[in-house]
């Protein structure tokens, strides 16, 4: 990316690796693991692949060790668990998905990254979404610079184990003229980032505060108070949302809130119909 320094590139890569590592570990990284990933990213060769990171974590260079004021043995022990879990993306059950450079090219007309084939394996969802979003953002950064929409369906999967990465991606998208759309089934899905009041949950709420436009359709599921507060929804609005008929939504743009009825044309109805399989089964 034009104007991006090596330090910027290392920080961006460590953000993605952190999201991948947390998704594979099923927990937040320790400070030592987090720092170890960043040090490894500073030591990467040009045009690196994931296996280069794994090698640098397991066999750190003197520069990595010096940067962290530790010993090779202590460093290797401190990052061994995350290194081994990342190696699963290279040599384990997910080999072939993350272990080489991408061969895809982004079409100017747009496209769809279909991850449904991997959806039956819960452990793969978050790392696949994070890696795909990173690749897509990078590809768009190298494009023409025209305004572009990036739509992330099932975004709660990234929130669960990659909230920091998603926030960084959202901020980068602004500078690139990208409109990032996050789609979830329920407002309560936003609480998937962590327990209420936790540090991770607070970062998820900060992400919501950065969102420029929120569209909430009818949902009988109660909206958690912290989520309602982050979305600036009043108690009356949260009650109305539970009673909305199909097609009615609440659109919040900054401090302006408006009820909207969405009316689809015949063509739009066909494009958005997700009940085909259920209808055929009846």
């Amino acid at each position: 990316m034009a104007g991006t320094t090596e330090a910027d590139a290392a920080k961006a890569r460590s953000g993605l690796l952190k999201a991948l590592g947390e998704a594979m570990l099923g927990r937040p990284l320790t400070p030592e693991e987090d720092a170890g990933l960043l040090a490894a990213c500073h030591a990467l060769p040009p045009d690196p692949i994931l296996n280069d990171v794994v090698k640098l974590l397991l066999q750190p260079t003197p520069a990595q060790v010096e940067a962290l004021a530790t010993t090779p043995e202590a460093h290797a022990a401190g990052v061994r668990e995350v290194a081994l879990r990342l190696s699963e993306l290279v040599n384990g059950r997910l080999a072939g998905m993350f272990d080489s450079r991408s061969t895809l090219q982004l079409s100017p007309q747009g496209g769809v990254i279909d991850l449904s084939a991997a959806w039956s394996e819960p452990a793969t969802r978050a790392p696949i979404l994070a890696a795909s979003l990173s690749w897509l953002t990078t590809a768009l950064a190298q494009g023409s610079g025209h305004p572009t929409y990036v739509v992330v369906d099932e975004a709660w999967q990234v929130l669960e184990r990659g909230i920091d990465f998603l926030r960084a991606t959202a901020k980068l998208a602004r500078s690139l003229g990208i409109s990032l759309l996050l789609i979830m089934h329920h407002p309560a899905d936003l609480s998937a980032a962590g327990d209420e009041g936790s540090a991770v949950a607070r970062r998820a709420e900060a992400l919501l505060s950065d969102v420029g436009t929120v569209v909430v359709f009818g949902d009988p599921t109660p909206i958690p108070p912290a989520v309602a507060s982050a979305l600036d929804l009043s108690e009356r609005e949260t009650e109305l949302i539970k009673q909305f008929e199909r097609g009615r939504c609440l659109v919040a743009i900054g401090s302006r809130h408006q009820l909207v009825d969405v009316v689809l044309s015949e063509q739009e109805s066909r494009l958005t119909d997700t009940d085909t399989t259920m209808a055929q089964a009846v």
Side-chain angles (χ1 to χ4, degrees), residues 76-256:
V79 300
R80 183 171 181 79
E81 187 177 6
V82 67
L84 292 178
R85 295 312 301 270
L86 288 175
S87 72
E88 291 183 29
L89 301 175
V90 178
N91 305 307
R93 67 185 188 280
L94 300 180
M97 299 179 66
F98 300 88
D99 51 359
S100 61
R101 295 173 182 85
S102 174
T103 58
L104 298 177
Q105 296 294 325
L106 189 63
S107 168
Q109 286 73 41
V112 176
I113 302 175
D114 185 0
L115 307 178
S116 59
W119 227 241
S120 60
E121 180 61 49
T124 68
R125 295 174 189 169
I128 290 174
L129 271 174
S132 300
L133 188 57
S134 174
W135 173 85
L136 184 59
T137 304
T138 301
L140 289 169
Q142 298 169 348
S144 62
H146 296 303
T148 306
Y149 290 98
V150 176
V151 182
V152 184
D153 199 5
E154 304 289 356
W156 64 274
Q157 295 285 357
V158 184
L159 282 174
E160 187 175 11
R161 290 296 175 189
I163 181 62
D164 291 332
F165 173 70
L166 189 56
R167 286 187 67 193
T169 301
K171 292 183 183 298
L172 178 62
R174 292 177 180 179
S175 67
L176 299 174
I178 298 171
S179 294
L180 183 62
L181 280 70
L182 308 178
I183 301 177
M184 304 171 210
H185 289 290
H186 310 284
D189 288 343
L190 294 163
S191 61
D195 296 332
E196 186 172 356
S198 68
V200 176
R202 288 195 296 271
R203 291 199 292 275
E205 292 158 17
L207 172 65
L208 298 183
S209 299
D210 290 339
V211 172
T213 302
V214 177
V215 180
V216 186
F217 284 88
D219 185 357
T221 306
I223 300 177
V227 174
S229 176
L231 296 177
D232 196 25
L233 299 178
S234 68
E235 185 176 344
R236 172 61 174 161
E237 287 171 331
T238 59
E239 288 301 315
L240 281 175
I241 289 169
K242 292 193 291 185
Q243 303 170 29
F244 281 170
E245 298 178 355
R246 186 172 185 177
R248 174 159 290 189
C249 63
L250 175 69
V251 179
I253 305 176
S255 60
R256 296 179 58 192

Side-chain angles (χ1 to χ4, degrees), residues 61 69 96 104 130 222 268:
T61 65
L104 298 177
E268 290 169 335

